[in-house]
C-alpha cells in the first residue's frame, strides 16, 4: 500500500505537532488560522490512518518513519565537561524513578548536569522532554502555569490548569525537567504529587538546593567536580576548557597550579568558570594570589558550608576586580528575573554613578567576565545572570541601600512596558479574538499584533509579575501595583492566559484605592470568568462587585452588578458546579430592585429588566427554570429588556437582552424571529468590537447562537460560515468540542460527510480531554456525527457516537429534539419510514420546549415525510400543517414540498425540490430526492451521495439502527 502524499504545509504542521505545540501555537508559528491547523491535522489523521494527534507527533513530515519526540531543552553556549559517572547514575535514576531531585548548593552545576542527563535520556521518552525554569516564578500558585507553558498545554474554558495538566499529560511518556525549585518548594511539592499520581508515564527531574519533601522523591546529591587525576581531573578539565575559550589554555607545565586552584575552589563548577574567565588577564599567579586572601578569610567550618563559601569567595573576588560602575551595574540588573535588553538595563540601572549611555558597554564587560550570559532572541540581544550570580547581586544591592530605588525603577519600567503592550493589544483588536471584521481567511490565532506581540509579551511577562509581587506588598507602591495588575490582566487576556487575567483583575480589585475601582476590576474579572465558562466565578464576582459598589455609595452600579449576578445564575446555569437555587436568584433580584429604587439610571433599569426576563420569565431556559412559563409573557419580558438596553446605549447589554429575546421567540415557536435577534446581536458586537472580556464572551456566545438559529431556519450556508468563525476563535483553541459543535451540525445536515469526518476527531479529542462535559450544543454535535455514520451504514461508529451524544447533551433534548431529527433522517435514508414515524410520534406542541428551540421546522417537515412514506392516515394533515409552519425556511419548505409531491404522486414537483435543496445549500437532500424519484434519476442520486462521502451500499432498515 502506498503512502498518501503529504503537502508541504501538512509536513510543517506535523513537524510542530512533534514539538507538542497546541493548535493555537502552531497557528501562530505558521501565521494561519486555528481552523486551518485543525483541517491539516484531520487530513493527516486520515492519510496516515492514525488514531490521534499524539500518534501524529511521533511521525516524520514524510509520514513513514517514526522519530523521537522533540526535546525543547535550552542549548548551553559552552560544552559540558566531565561528570560521566553522575550522568550515567542520574540518567538511570530518572528512567527508573518517577521523581528525582538533583540537590546541591548554588553553583555546583545542578542545571548543567540536569540538561545533559535530559538530553541523554530523551530516547527513553517517546513523548519528549520538556524544561521549565522556575526562577521567574514568584508565586507558588503559578507553578502549574509554568509547567503548562513548558509542555505546550493551553487553557481550557471551564477548567483550571490544575485539572487540565493531569488530563493533558495523562497518557504521555515524557520527562519534565523542573529547574530551580527551591524558591517555590511549597508550590512544587503538592503540584507534583497531584501530577504524578494522575500521569503514570510522566517522569520528573527536579533541581533544588533542598529536597522537595514528597514521599516518592528520590534524592540525588550532586557532588563537586572531581579533582582526582591532577591536570586531567574533571575540575581541571573544566578550567582548561573555559580558559581556552577566553584566550589561551595554560601550558601543561602549569597543570599542577590549575589542580591546586581547583582544589582551593572545592570543585565548584561556577567558581571554577568565574576564575577561568580571568585567566587571560591575571594568569595563574594572579588568580592564586587574589583568591588566597578570600579563601583564607573564609576558611573553617563544615565542608558543605565551605563549598557555599568557596563560591561566595570567588564572587566576592570577581566583584572586587570590577570597576565601580560595573559593580553597580551587576547589582542593579539583579532585579531582572528573565533575560533583559540593554535598553531595559539602561532604564533601570542607568543612574549615578552610571551613565545610561555606557550601560551597554558595561553589560559587554560583565559578559566577558562570565558574570552575565549573552542570549540571542527574536527581540534582539538579551543578557541574563545565572541564578546564583543574580542572588549574589541582589544581596549586594540590598547591602548598598539602593534596593528600594532600583526596585522602584524596575517597577516604573514594568509599568511602561505593560502599558505599551496593553495599548498595542487594544489598538490591534482588543481581545484574543483578534480583529472582529477580519475575513475568515486571515490568520486569527495570534492575538492583537500577531506573533511579534506575543514575543514582546513573553519576553517581559515574568519581570512584570515579579515587579507586581514586590510592589503589592508595599503600601507606598499600592497605586502603582494596582495599575500594573490592571495592565498585566489586559495583556494576559490578550495572550489568551485567561486564568491569569482573572487572577490579576481580582488582584487589582484588592489593591484598588477605593471601592468604585474595586468594583470595576471585579466586573472585568467576571467577564474573564465568563470566557472561561466558570459560572460559579461569574456569579461570585458580580456579587462582589455589587457589594463594592454599595460600599462606594453607588446604588445604581450596585443594582447593575446584583442584577447581573441574578442573570448569570439563569443564563449560564449549565456552566455552574453549584447551580444557584431559584429562591437565591430571586433574593438577589430583590436586592437589586432595592438598590435601584431611586430610579433614573438607564443601565440599572436595563440590567433589572434582563434579570427579570431571566429569573422570572426564564427566557434562557435555565436548568432551574420553570418549564410552565407562558411563552407570550417570556417574549414580552425579553422585549422590555431589549428596549431598556437600547436606551442604555451599551452594546453588550443589548446583546444579552437580544439573547433573551432570541430564546423566548424560539420557544414561542418563531424560529425566524429568534434568528433575526441572533443576527442583530452579532452585528452589534461586530460593529462595536470586542475589546473587554465581557464583550469577548458575548461575541463567542453570539456566534454560537447565530449559527444555531440559522440551522433552525434552514440557512445552512450562513450557519456554516458562523460555525467556521466560531471554530477559528483562539479563545476556543483548546476546547475543540465547543468550537466545532455548530459547524459539525451544519455540515452534517448539508450531507458533507468528508467535512464532518475531518472535524469530528477534534471534537471528540477535546470532549474527552476536557472531562466529557454536557452542554446544549455538544449533544447535537455528537448526534450529527452519529447521523453521518448512520447514513454511511457504519453501525459501529454510529453506536459509539450516539453514546457520546447521550453523555454530552441533555437527555430530553436528545429524545425529543435533535435526536429525533437526526435519527429520522437516518431511518428515512435507509427506507424505514415506520421507525421514523415512531421516532417523531409526539406532536410538536407536546414537546415544544425541546423541539422548537432549533429543531421545530426540521421535526415537523421530517414528521410529515415519514407519515407520507409510511402511509399514515394523517399524512395529508401533517404535511399541510408542516408547509404552513415552515414557510420561509428553504430546506424545511423543500422537505414539506417533497412530502406533498410524494403524497400527490407528482414527479415534476418532486424533481423541482431537488433544485430547491441545491439552492438552499443542502446537497444531501437534493441527492435523496433523485433517489426517491427513481428510474434514471436514481443513478444520479447515488453518484451525488458518493461524491458527498455517503456510501449507498447498505440501504436496508437494519443499517439505521
Amino acid at each position: 500500500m502506498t503512502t498518501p502524499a503529504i503537502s508541504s504545509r501538512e509536513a510543517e504542521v506535523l513537524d510542530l505537532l512533534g514539538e507538542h505545540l497546541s493548535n493555537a501555537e502552531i497557528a501562530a508559528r505558521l501565521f494561519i488560522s486555528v481552523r486551518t491547523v485543525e483541517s491539516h491535522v484531520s487530513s493527516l489523521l486520515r492519510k496516515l490512518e492514525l488514531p490521534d494527534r499524539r500518534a501524529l507527533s511521533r511521525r516524520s513530515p514524510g509520514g513513514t518513519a517514526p522519530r523521537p519526540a522533540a526535546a525543547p531543552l535550552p542549548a548551553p553556549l559552552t560544552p559540558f565537561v566531565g561528570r560521566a559517572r553522575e550522568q550515567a547514575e542520574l540518567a538511570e535514576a530518572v528512567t527508573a524513578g518517577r521523581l528525582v531531585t538533583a540537590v546541591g548548593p548554588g553553583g555546583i552545576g545542578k542545571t548543567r548536569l540536569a540538561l545533559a542527563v535530559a538530553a541523554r535520556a530523551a530516547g527513553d521518552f517517546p513523548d519528549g522532554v520538556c524544561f521549565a525554569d522556575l526562577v521567574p516564578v514568584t508565586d507558588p500558585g503559578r507553578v502549574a502555569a509554568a509547567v503548562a507553558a513548558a509542555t505546550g498545554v493551553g487553557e481550557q474554558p471551564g477548567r483550571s490548569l490544575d485539572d487540565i495538566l493531569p488530563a493533558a499529560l495523562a497518557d504521555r511518556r515524557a520527562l519534565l525537567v523542573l529547574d530551580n525549585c527551591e524558591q517555590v518548594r511549597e508550590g512544587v511539592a503538592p503540584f507534583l504529587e497531584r501530577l504524578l499520581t494522575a500521569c503514570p508515564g510522566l517522569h520528573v527531574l527536579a533541581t533544588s538546593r533542598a529536597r522537595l519533601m514528597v514521599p516518592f522523591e528520590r534524592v540525588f546529591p550532586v557532588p563537586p567536580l572531581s579533582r582526582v587525576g591532577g591536570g586531567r581531573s574533571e575540575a581541571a578539565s573544566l578550567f582548561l576548557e573555559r580558559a581556552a575559550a577566553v584566550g589561551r589554555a595554560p601550558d601543561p607545565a602549569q597543570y599542577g597550579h590549575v589542580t591546586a586552584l581547583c582544589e582551593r575552589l572545592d570543585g565548584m563548577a561556577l567558581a571554577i568558570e568565574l576564575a577561568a574567565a580571568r585567566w587571560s588577564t591575571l594568569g595563574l599567579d594572579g588568580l592564586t594570589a587574589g583568591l588566597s586572601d578570600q579563601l583564607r578569610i573564609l576558611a573553617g567550618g563544615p565542608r558543605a558550608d565551605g563549598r557555599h563559601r568557596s563560591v561566595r569567595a570567588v564572587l566576592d573576588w570577581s566583584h572586587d576586580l570590577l570597576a565601580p560602575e560595573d559593580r553597580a551595574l551587576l547589582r542593579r540588573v539583579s532585579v531582572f528575573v528573565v533575560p533583559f535588553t540593554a535598553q531595559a538595563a539602561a532604564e533601570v540601572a542607568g543612574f549615578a554613578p552610571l551613565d545610561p549611555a555606557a550601560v551597554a558597554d558595561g553589560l559587554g564587560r560583565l559578559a566577558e567576565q562570565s558574570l552575565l550570559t549573552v542570549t540571542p532572541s527574536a527581540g534582539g540581544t538579551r543578557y541574563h545572570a545565572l541564578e546564583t550570580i543574580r542572588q549574589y547581586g541582589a544581596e549586594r544591592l540590598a547591602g548598598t541601600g539602593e534596593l528600594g530605588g532600583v526596585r522602584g525603577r524596575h517597577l516604573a519600567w514594568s509599568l511602561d512596558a505593560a502599558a505599551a503592550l496593553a495599548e498595542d493589544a487594544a489598538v490591534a483588536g482588543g481581545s484574543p479574538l483578534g480583529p472582529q471584521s477580519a475575513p475568515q481567511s486571515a490568520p486569527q490565532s495570534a492575538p492583537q499584533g500577531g506573533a511579534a506581540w506575543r514575543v514582546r509579551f513573553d519576553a517581559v511577562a515574568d519581570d512584570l509579575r515579579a515587579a507586581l509581587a514586590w510592589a503589592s506588598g508595599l503600601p507606598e507602591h499600592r497605586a502603582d501595583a494596582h495599575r500594573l495588575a490592571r495592565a498585566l490582566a489586559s495583556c494576559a487576556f490578550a495572550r489568551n492566559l485567561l486564568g491569569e487575567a482573572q487572577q490579576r483583575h481580582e488582584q487589582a480589585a484588592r489593591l484598588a484605592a477605593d471601592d468604585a475601582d474595586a468594583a470595576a476590576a471585579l466586573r472585568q474579572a467576571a467577564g474573564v470568568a465568563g470566557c472561561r465558562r466558570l459560572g460559579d466565578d461569574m456569579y461570585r464576582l458580580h456579587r462582589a462587585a455589587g457589594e463594592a459598589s454599595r460600599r462606594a455609595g453607588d446604588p445604581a452600579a450596585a443594582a447593575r452588578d446584583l442584577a447581573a449576578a441574578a442573570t448569570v445564575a439563569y443564563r449560564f446555569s449549565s456552566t455552574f458546579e453549584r447551580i444557584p437555587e431559584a429562591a437565591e436568584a430571586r433574593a438577589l433580584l430583590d436586592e437589586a430592585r432595592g438598590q435601584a429604587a431611586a430610579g433614573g439610571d438607564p443601565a440599572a433599569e436595563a440590567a433589572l429588566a434582563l434579570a427579570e426576563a431571566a429569573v422570572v420569565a426564564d427566557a434562557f431556559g435555565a436548568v432551574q427554570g420553570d418549564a410552565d412559563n407562558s411563552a407570550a409573557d417570556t417574549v414580552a419580558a425579553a422585549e422590555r429588556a431589549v428596549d431598556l438596553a437600547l436606551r442604555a446605549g451599551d452594546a453588550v447589554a443589548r446583546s444579552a437582552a437580544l439573547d433573551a429575546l432570541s430564546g423566548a421567540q424560539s420557544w414561542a415557536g418563531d424560529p425566524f424571529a429568534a434568528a433575526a435577534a441572533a443576527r442583530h446581536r452579532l452585528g452589534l458586537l461586530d460593529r462595536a468590537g470586542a475589546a473587554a472580556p465581557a464583550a469577548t464572551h458575548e461575541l463567542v456566545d453570539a456566534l454560537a447562537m447565530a449559527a444555531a438559529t440559522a440551522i433552525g431556519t434552514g440557512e445552512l450556508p450562513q450557519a456554516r460560515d458562523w460555525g467556521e468563525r466560531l471554530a477559528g476563535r483562539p479563545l476556543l483553541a483548546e476546547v475543540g468540542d465547543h468550537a466545532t459543535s455548530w459547524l459539525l451540525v451544519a455540515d452534517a445536515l448539508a450531507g458533507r460527510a468528508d467535512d464532518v469526518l475531518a472535524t469530528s476527531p477534534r471534537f471528540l479529542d477535546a470532549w474527552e480531554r476536557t472531562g466529557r462535559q454536557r452542554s446544549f450544543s455538544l449533544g447535537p454535535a455528537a448526534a450529527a456525527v452519529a447521523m453521518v455514520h448512520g447514513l454511511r451504514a457504519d453501525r459501529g461508529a454510529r453506536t459509539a457516537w450516539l453514546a457520546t451524544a447521550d453523555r454530552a447533551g441533555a437527555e430530553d433534548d436528545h429524545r425529543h429534539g435533535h435526536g429525533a431529527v437526526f435519527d429520522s433522517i437516518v431511518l428515512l435514508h435507509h427506507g424505514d419510514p415506520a421507525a421514523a414515524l415512531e421516532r417523531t410520534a409526539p406532536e410538536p406542541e407536546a414537546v415544544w420546549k425541546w423541539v422548537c428551540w432549533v429543531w421545530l421546522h426540521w421535526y415537523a417537515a421530517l414528521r410529515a415525510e415519514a407519515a407520507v412514506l409510511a402511509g399514515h392516515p394523517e399524512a395529508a394533515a401533517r404535511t399541510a400543517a408542516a408547509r404552513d409552519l415552515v414557510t420561509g425556511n428553504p430546506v424545511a419548505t423543500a422537505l414539506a414540498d417533497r412530502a406533498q409531491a410524494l403524497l400527490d404522486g407528482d414527479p415534476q414537483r418532486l424533481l423541482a425540490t431537488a433544485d430547491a435543496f441545491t439552492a438552499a445549500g443542502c446537497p444531501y437532500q437534493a441527492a435523496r430526492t433523485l433517489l426517491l424519484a427513481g428510474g434514471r434519476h436514481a443513478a444520479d442520486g447515488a453518484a451525488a451521495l458518493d461524491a458527498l462521502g455517503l456510501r449507498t451500499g447498505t440501504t436496508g432498515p437494519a443499517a439505521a439502527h
Side-chain angles (χ1 to χ4, degrees), residues 436 651-652 655 680-690 695 698-699 702:
Q436 299 312 312
V652 173
S655 172
H680 187 186
R681 184 182 170 205
L682 189 56
L684 274 175
L685 295 168
D686 275 343
R687 288 191 297 274
E698 197 69 34
L699 179 58

Side-chain angles (χ1 to χ4, degrees), residues 550 555-556 558-559 562 586-599 608:
R550 185 155 32 198
L562 294 172
R586 286 177 181 268
L588 270 180
L589 180 55
D590 289 339
E591 282 188 60
R593 288 169 175 153
Q595 289 293 311
L608 281 170

Side-chain angles (χ1 to χ4, degrees), residues 2 28 55 76 164 184 219 344 420 425 468 484 649 786 859:
T2 60
I164 295 166
V184 284
V219 177
L468 177 57
L484 183 53
Y859 185 92

Side-chain angles (χ1 to χ4, degrees), residues 768-949:
E768 291 177 339
R769 276 192 298 105
T770 55
R772 300 187 174 188
Q773 297 176 331
R774 286 185 182 271
S775 168
F776 77 94
S777 63
L778 300 183
V785 180
M787 182 196 80
V788 168
H789 284 296
L791 296 178
R792 289 164 55 88
D794 188 338
R795 289 166 47 177
R798 173 169 167 77
T799 299
W801 277 97
L802 284 175
T804 298
D806 286 338
R807 295 193 297 270
E811 180 181 351
D812 285 336
D813 193 12
H814 182 69
R815 180 184 301 119
H816 300 302
H818 64 263
V821 168
F822 292 133
D823 288 351
S824 295
I825 291 174
V826 173
L827 292 165
L828 290 171
H829 179 85
H830 290 293
D832 195 353
L837 190 63
E838 182 180 352
R839 192 69 179 85
T840 55
E843 296 285 341
E845 295 78 7
V847 289
W848 68 273
K849 200 160 190 176
W850 307 110
V851 172
C852 71
W853 180 71
V854 165
W855 314 106
L856 175 63
H857 286 181
W858 293 88
Y859 185 92
L862 289 167
R863 189 170 182 263
E865 181 170 306
V868 170
L869 292 174
H872 192 278
E874 296 182 6
R878 290 187 180 184
T879 301
R883 296 182 74 189
D884 287 342
L885 178 67
V886 304
T887 300
N889 180 322
V891 178
T893 294
L895 284 169
D897 287 348
R898 187 171 70 191
Q900 187 68 56
L902 290 168
L903 184 66
D904 296 340
D906 188 337
Q908 294 302 317
R909 288 178 62 192
L910 178 64
L911 288 172
T913 65
D915 294 334
F917 283 123
T918 299
C922 191
Y924 164 69
Q925 292 295 352
R928 177 165 154 72
T929 298
L930 297 177
L931 288 177
L932 289 170
R936 59 186 177 83
H937 302 293
D940 293 337
L945 288 177
D946 284 339
L948 290 170

